[in-house]
Amino acid sequence: MRSDRFKATYSHLLDAAEAMGIGLSVKTNIELAPFDFADARERALLPDFVLFWDKDICLARLLEAQRLPVFNRADAIEICDSKALTYLALAESGIEMPDTIIVPMAFQPPSWDGESFPDRAIERLGLPLVAKESSGSFGEQVHLASSRDELVAVLGSFGARASILQGFVESSRGRDVRLQVVGDRVIAGILRSSGGGDFRANIAAGASAEPFDAPEPFERMALSVCRTIGLDFAGVDILFGEQGQPVFCEVNSNAQFEGILACCGVNAAAEILAYIVSVLEKGARNGGDAVR
C-alpha cells in the first residue's frame, strides 16, 4: 500500500532517475501481486532491475525467481527486518554489539510475571535494559526498562510478536551515528542527538542531526555489517561505547535519507542509482546473485 511516510524518498529517487535518463516508476506490492509471469505479454513488461523499497519478502523472492536484478536482495531485506536475525547474522563476525537475548517464541502471549525469564534476563543484562520488537522502524517499539515490573509490562505489550532484549549502552544515551552505505563506500554520516532526555536518537522522534565525519573504525564497522548481510545499500546505526569505540545498533535496508541530504548535502538517491547502473553495466548481478 502507498504510504505518506516514504513520499519524499520516492520523490528523490524519481528525480534522480530522471536526471540520469532512467525510467523509474513506483509500484506497490498490491499492484504487482496479480502479475502473471507465465504470460508472454506481461513478461514483456518486466523491468531491467527492481529497486525494492518494501519488506514483502515473498514478492522480492518471486521477482528474483524471474532472474530480475533486485536491489536489495530478498535475503538481505529479511535479515534487516528482524533484529533477531540481524543479531544472529552478525554474531560470529567479530562486530561489537550489545549483549543480546532473543525472547523465546510464543504462539499466545505468555504471562511473563509468572516466568523466571525476566529475572534471568535482568541478571545477565542488568538494568536498565532495552526491549525491542524484532520488526520496527523509526525508533518505534523500542523501550527502556528500568525495573522488573517495567520489563514484564513491556514484554506483555509485545504480545506474541518476536522481540529481543539488549544491554543498555549508557555511554551512548540519547545519541548515535547513522552512516549511509552504498556499495563499498560510506557516502555520508550524521550524528543524531535527542536533546530532550529520550534515550533514543531517531530523527522521526525529534532528534537533531549534524554532519559526522566517521572515524575509520566506524566506517569499517558499517561496511562490514553490509558486507556480512549482503546489502547493496543501507543505513547503519552505531552507538558510542564506553571508550568511544563503535558499537553496532541496527541496520535498515531501506533507510530514509532525507536527513542525510538536508544535513550533509549528499544525495543518496543519486548514489544508489549510480551504483545500480554500475553493477548492471559490469554484469555483476543476475537473478539475485551479486559479485562484490
Side-chain angles (χ1 to χ4, degrees), residues 162-176:
S163 58
I164 65 171
L165 305 178
Q166 291 184 318
F168 180 52
V169 183
E170 178 66 46
S171 52
S172 200
R173 181 187 286 266
R175 65 190 185 117
D176 69 8

Side-chain angles (χ1 to χ4, degrees), residues 156-205:
S157 72
F158 292 163
R161 295 184 295 277
S163 58
I164 65 171
L165 305 178
Q166 291 184 318
F168 180 52
V169 183
E170 178 66 46
S171 52
S172 200
R173 181 187 286 266
R175 65 190 185 117
D176 69 8
V177 170
R178 161 66 60 86
L179 298 184
Q180 184 73 39
V181 175
V182 179
D184 59 358
R185 296 189 302 124
V186 173
I187 64 168
I190 55 175
L191 172 64
R192 305 185 297 191
S193 305
S194 66
D198 195 329
F199 75 98
R200 301 165 299 177
N202 296 83
I203 300 295

Side-chain angles (χ1 to χ4, degrees), residues 52 54-62 73-79 81:
F52 202 83
D54 201 284
K55 295 183 178 180
D56 190 334
I57 306 301
C58 290
L59 175 59
R61 290 205 169 102
L62 181 61
R73 288 166 288 183
D75 287 348
I77 295 172
E78 183 176 35
I79 291 171
D81 194 36

Side-chain angles (χ1 to χ4, degrees), residues 7-17 257-258 261 267 269-270 273:
K7 271 188 175 180
T9 301
Y10 298 154
S11 178
H12 288 306
L13 288 167
L14 291 170
D15 289 346
F257 42 71
E258 287 71 39
L261 179 60
N267 188 345
L273 287 167

Side-chain angles (χ1 to χ4, degrees), residues 104-233:
M105 182 178 179
F107 292 99
Q108 296 181 350
S111 176
W112 290 109
D113 194 34
E115 298 287 345
S116 64
F117 174 77
D119 302 289
R120 289 184 286 120
I122 291 170
E123 181 179 358
R124 174 169 155 183
L125 301 178
L127 290 171
L129 60 79
V130 179
K132 305 177 180 180
E133 285 192 32
S134 200
S135 296
S137 303
F138 306 102
E140 298 170 0
Q141 300 90 38
V142 178
H143 307 269
L144 190 65
S146 299
S147 67
R148 185 185 192 278
D149 287 345
E150 288 184 7
L151 176 57
V152 167
V154 170
L155 288 172
S157 72
F158 292 163
R161 295 184 295 277
S163 58
I164 65 171
L165 305 178
Q166 291 184 318
F168 180 52
V169 183
E170 178 66 46
S171 52
S172 200
R173 181 187 286 266
R175 65 190 185 117
D176 69 8
V177 170
R178 161 66 60 86
L179 298 184
Q180 184 73 39
V181 175
V182 179
D184 59 358
R185 296 189 302 124
V186 173
I187 64 168
I190 55 175
L191 172 64
R192 305 185 297 191
S193 305
S194 66
D198 195 329
F199 75 98
R200 301 165 299 177
N202 296 83
I203 300 295
S208 61
E210 60 185 87
F212 181 78
D213 187 10
E216 194 274 338
F218 281 74
E219 285 205 6
R220 187 170 63 244
M221 175 177 283
L223 294 173
S224 181
V225 166
C226 292
R227 190 181 309 112
T228 301
I229 295 174
L231 290 156
D232 294 294
F233 53 86

Side-chain angles (χ1 to χ4, degrees), residues 26-61:
V26 177
K27 299 289 185 183
T28 69
N29 59 343
I30 293 175
E31 291 167 336
L32 290 176
F35 198 96
D36 184 359
F37 293 104
D39 188 306
R41 291 170 299 178
E42 293 201 7
R43 282 193 59 81
L45 301 176
L46 289 176
D48 295 321
F49 70 90
V50 178
L51 177 53
F52 202 83
W53 218 270
D54 201 284
K55 295 183 178 180
D56 190 334
I57 306 301
C58 290
L59 175 59
R61 290 205 169 102

